[in-house]
Amino acid sequence: MSASPAVTEIATCSIVTDAGVRTEARRYTHWLRDRLLRSKGHDPSRAGAIPRTDRGKPHLPEDRHLNWSTSSTDGASGLVWCIGRQVGLDLECDDGEIPTDTLLRDTLTDAERSDWDAHPSSGRFMDLWTRKEGALKCLGLGLHLMPNQIHIGAPSPSWTSARVQNRHRCWVRSVHVTEHVRCAIACEV
């Protein structure tokens, strides 16, 4: 399935690298969010009062078409936004450690685990993890659904289709940030 041109043109992402430790990176995330709100005519001084859905997604009741997602990790922070479609972003620092069997079991589908067992690497695991978390954020499911319930497909810089529980669909793409920071963006179909 090929990506919709609308998805490619609509989803906009900003990522700050060298953002320091996670607490400093969160400040950059807030700065990116405030810039977005200002550019769309909203008052960022009331950002602390932005309501969230029951699944934790931020939204502006007066501007229901503006959707965004943020993420931060050691060394990077980011924000992706879209008009009229839900989006999700995940950034993770790859520390080079191979995940435990428990984490692999809770995260990977059987097919992903078979592929993983043939070619284990922390980078491949983090690419899959960011794609899954980005899709879950996009769909408003967060970690209310176990990541092993989603077959997300191989990491790709192109938009690829992902299906969650055969009900929800979204486009997902991996984005190269730095050697140690993994990133994925998801956009509602």
Side-chain angles (χ1 to χ4, degrees), residues 14-187:
S14 298
I15 297 174
V16 176
T17 57
D18 296 327
V21 296
R22 189 177 291 258
T23 52
E24 290 176 26
R26 283 197 181 118
R27 278 187 258 157
Y28 280 107
T29 302
H30 291 233
W31 176 76
L32 289 167
R33 181 203 57 209
D34 291 352
R35 282 186 59 202
L36 169 65
L37 293 175
R38 222 178 275 110
S39 75
K40 299 299 176 191
H42 298 286
D43 179 6
S45 67
R46 61 174 281 255
I50 292 175
R52 295 185 171 268
T53 67
D54 60 344
R55 299 292 177 120
K57 286 190 71 86
H59 70 98
L60 296 173
E62 67 275 14
D63 192 349
R64 294 183 187 273
H65 298 290
L66 177 61
N67 300 295
W68 73 91
S69 178
T70 61
S71 185
S72 60
T73 189
D74 288 344
S77 62
L79 176 141
V80 62
W81 65 272
C82 187
I83 301 294
R85 295 176 193 256
Q86 293 295 325
V87 289
L89 172 70
D90 190 40
L91 288 163
E92 298 290 343
C93 186
D94 178 11
D95 59 11
E97 291 186 27
I98 300 294
T100 64
D101 279 340
T102 301
L103 184 57
L104 290 169
R105 185 182 58 247
D106 291 346
T107 304
L108 304 179
T109 64
D110 291 340
E112 291 165 341
R113 181 63 193 256
S114 293
D115 185 50
W116 163 265
D117 288 340
H119 309 286
S121 87
S122 65
R124 286 185 60 244
F125 176 79
M126 294 309 293
D127 285 335
L128 285 167
W129 176 267
T130 57
R131 290 171 65 79
K132 288 179 181 232
E133 190 168 340
L136 288 169
K137 284 177 156 183
C138 170
L139 298 169
L141 299 172
L143 290 176
H144 294 279
L145 180 68
M146 290 294 290
N148 64 7
Q149 301 295 306
I150 308 162
H151 184 79
I152 203 74
S156 171
S158 301
W159 291 104
T160 57
S161 181
R163 187 176 295 272
V164 178
Q165 292 185 323
N166 291 325
R167 294 182 305 195
H168 310 286
R169 277 190 27 218
C170 64
W171 296 103
V172 183
R173 72 182 284 194
S174 300
V175 177
H176 177 77
V177 178
T178 70
E179 181 182 343
H180 298 289
V181 175
R182 306 296 181 167
C183 177
I185 300 170
C187 187

